[in-house]
């Protein structure tokens, strides 16, 4: 039984992102930049990294703090070691996801555990509601086998990192922001429909091949921001060639966003407090 969409969302804007570097000099593309935080609320950032050159990633991300949001790291290729101030440690590798809630504060490092070969993946920042920003830090590693997945009759393989798709619940659920995070692998000539509440902000990032999104062509390494027309009920993705893409959506918080580097709060005063607490060493024991 296949229930079709009544009306797909269309592409409102195509974004290529900005080449930048972060951490100790990791080269990456910031796809979702600060200027899009309001438009794509509750998402604050999406970085894409992908390189065969160890010089682009080898220095990694040494100890740094976060407060006020969640980071979701999805590895496509390569291995990254994570350690944090609460004593957590984990190895993130091919197809695995790390979901970290920084909450009131964590200091962590994210360091490559390879000297050569390909490193590829994504880091998404998901905002926390004002009332949740100072909750205790939390994190979980999901190995690739822990990510629920299914393949449609048309040959689209769907990895459900968060939310749910076609009745399959993802690895993570969040009540307030209701994030949907899908990694979609399309066979040539396949199509996929995903139901989406019209009020949720949503985007597609194509990282292999190309896709038609709501009828508009989206080339590789482009993000398509989807419109929020109230009469739409989802999005139609069609692949003429084999393709891979992330489909990400969530319920906007509608709260003020004030970012200072790795701190994202609601007011400037809360940013000053975060800097003060970090300098005073109050991020060190994240789980107490
Ligand atoms: Mn980090």
């Amino acid at each position: 039984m296949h229930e079709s969409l009544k009306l797909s969302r269309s592409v409102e804007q195509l974004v290529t992102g900005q080449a930048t570097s972060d951490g100790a000099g990791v080269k990456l593309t910031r796809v979702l930049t600060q200027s899009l935080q309001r438009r794509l609320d509750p998402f604050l950032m999406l970085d894409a990294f992908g390189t065969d050159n160890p010089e682009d990633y080898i220095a990694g991300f040494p100890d740094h703090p976060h407060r006020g949001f969640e980071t979701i790291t999805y590895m496509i290729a390569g291995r990254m070691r994570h350690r944090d101030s609460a004593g957590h440690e984990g190895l993130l590798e091919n197809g695995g996801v790390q979901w970290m809630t920084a909450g009131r504060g964590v200091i962590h490092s994210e360091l490559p555990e390879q000297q050569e070969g390909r490193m590829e993946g994504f880091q998404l920042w998901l905002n926390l509601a004002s009332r949740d920003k100072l909750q205790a830090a939390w994190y979980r590693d999901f190995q690739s086998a822990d990510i629920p997945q299914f393949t449609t009759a048309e040959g689209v393989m769907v990895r459900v990192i968060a939310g749910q798709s076609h009745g399959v619940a993802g690895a993570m659920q969040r009540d307030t922001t209701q994030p949907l995070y899908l990694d979609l692998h399309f066979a040539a000539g396949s199509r996929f429909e995903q139901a989406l509440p019209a009020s949720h902000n949503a985007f597609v990032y194509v990282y292999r091949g190309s896709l038609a999104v709501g009828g508009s062509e989206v080339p590789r390494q482009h993000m398509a921001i989807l419109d929020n027309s109230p009469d739409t009920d989802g999005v139609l993705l069609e692949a003429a060639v084999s393709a891979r893409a992330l489909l990400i959506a969530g319920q906007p918080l509608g709260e003020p966003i004030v970012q200072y580097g790795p701190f994202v709060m609601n007011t400037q005063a809360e940013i000053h407090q975060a800097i003060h607490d970090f300098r005073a060493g109050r991020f060190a024991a994240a789980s107490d």
Side-chain angles (χ1 to χ4, degrees):
M1 191 67 190
H2 187 68
E3 198 164 318
S4 288
L5 292 181
K6 291 191 191 73
L7 182 63
S8 174
R9 294 195 189 199
S10 54
V11 175
E12 176 182 292
Q13 189 187 346
L14 271 185
V15 174
T16 53
Q18 291 171 5
T20 185
S21 71
D22 208 340
V26 178
K27 287 194 181 141
L28 52 83
T29 301
R30 187 142 296 160
V31 179
L32 196 174
T33 56
Q34 219 166 335
S35 60
L36 291 169
Q37 287 177 339
R38 174 90 3 239
R39 176 64 190 86
L40 293 175
D41 178 9
F43 302 102
L44 298 165
M45 193 187 85
L46 177 68
D47 281 348
F49 49 94
T51 174
D52 297 310
N53 179 2
E55 285 176 19
D56 291 343
Y57 63 74
I58 203 73
F61 303 87
D63 274 347
H64 59 279
H66 293 289
R67 174 180 277 188
F69 58 97
E70 305 190 85
T71 68
I72 302 145
T73 309
Y74 181 33
M75 293 295 287
I76 303 293
R79 301 191 304 153
M80 197 88 95
R81 172 76 59 182
H82 165 265
R83 285 190 183 87
D84 74 25
S85 52
H88 302 127
E89 182 174 337
L91 184 64
L92 196 52
E93 46 192 336
N94 304 357
V97 171
Q98 185 206 64
W99 195 293
M100 184 186 80
T101 306
R104 68 180 167 223
V106 71
I107 300 168
H108 75 162
S109 60
E110 300 154 291
L111 298 171
E113 196 140 291
Q114 62 190 47
Q115 302 299 315
E116 55 184 21
R118 183 156 184 80
M119 176 76 77
E120 182 178 8
F122 304 95
Q123 187 169 85
L124 178 70
W125 288 11
L126 170 62
N127 209 355
L128 286 167
S130 174
R131 65 174 179 277
D132 298 326
K133 282 185 177 291
L134 298 183
Q135 70 181 69
W138 179 89
Y139 102 119
R140 186 167 162 192
D141 285 325
F142 298 90
Q143 301 307 314
S144 187
D146 300 331
I147 306 296
Q149 63 180 55
F150 63 94
T151 302
T152 68
E154 292 195 14
V156 180
M157 202 270 276
V158 183
R159 309 195 79 222
V160 191
I161 295 168
Q164 65 171 316
S165 179
H166 296 241
V168 176
M172 284 291 296
Q173 310 295 328
R174 284 285 182 250
D175 290 340
T176 306
T177 47
Q178 295 178 41
L180 174 75
Y181 190 160
L182 305 180
D183 179 21
L184 301 165
H185 300 196
F186 294 84
S190 64
R191 46 184 266 154
F192 180 75
E193 293 180 347
Q194 175 63 43
L196 294 171
S199 59
H200 286 200
N201 289 330
F203 60 94
V204 174
Y205 182 72
V206 178
Y207 67 97
R208 297 273 197 288
S210 65
L211 282 179
V213 178
S216 299
E217 201 59 30
V218 180
R220 192 171 76 94
Q221 292 177 339
H222 284 64
M223 172 172 72
I225 298 176
L226 307 184
D227 81 305
N228 292 74
S229 299
D231 47 346
T232 62
D233 58 351
V235 64
L236 169 63
L237 308 172
E238 299 164 291
V241 296
S242 95
R244 291 172 64 168
L246 308 179
L247 170 58
I248 295 172
Q251 173 152 287
L253 291 165
E255 296 176 345
I257 300 165
V258 182
Q259 177 174 3
Y260 178 75
F263 308 134
V264 184
M265 303 301 290
N266 301 112
T267 68
Q268 203 63 51
E270 290 167 347
I271 291 293
H272 290 307
Q273 186 66 49
I275 295 166
H276 179 81
D277 288 350
F278 172 58
R279 288 187 181 149
R282 290 194 193 119
F283 283 25
S287 60
D288 69 11

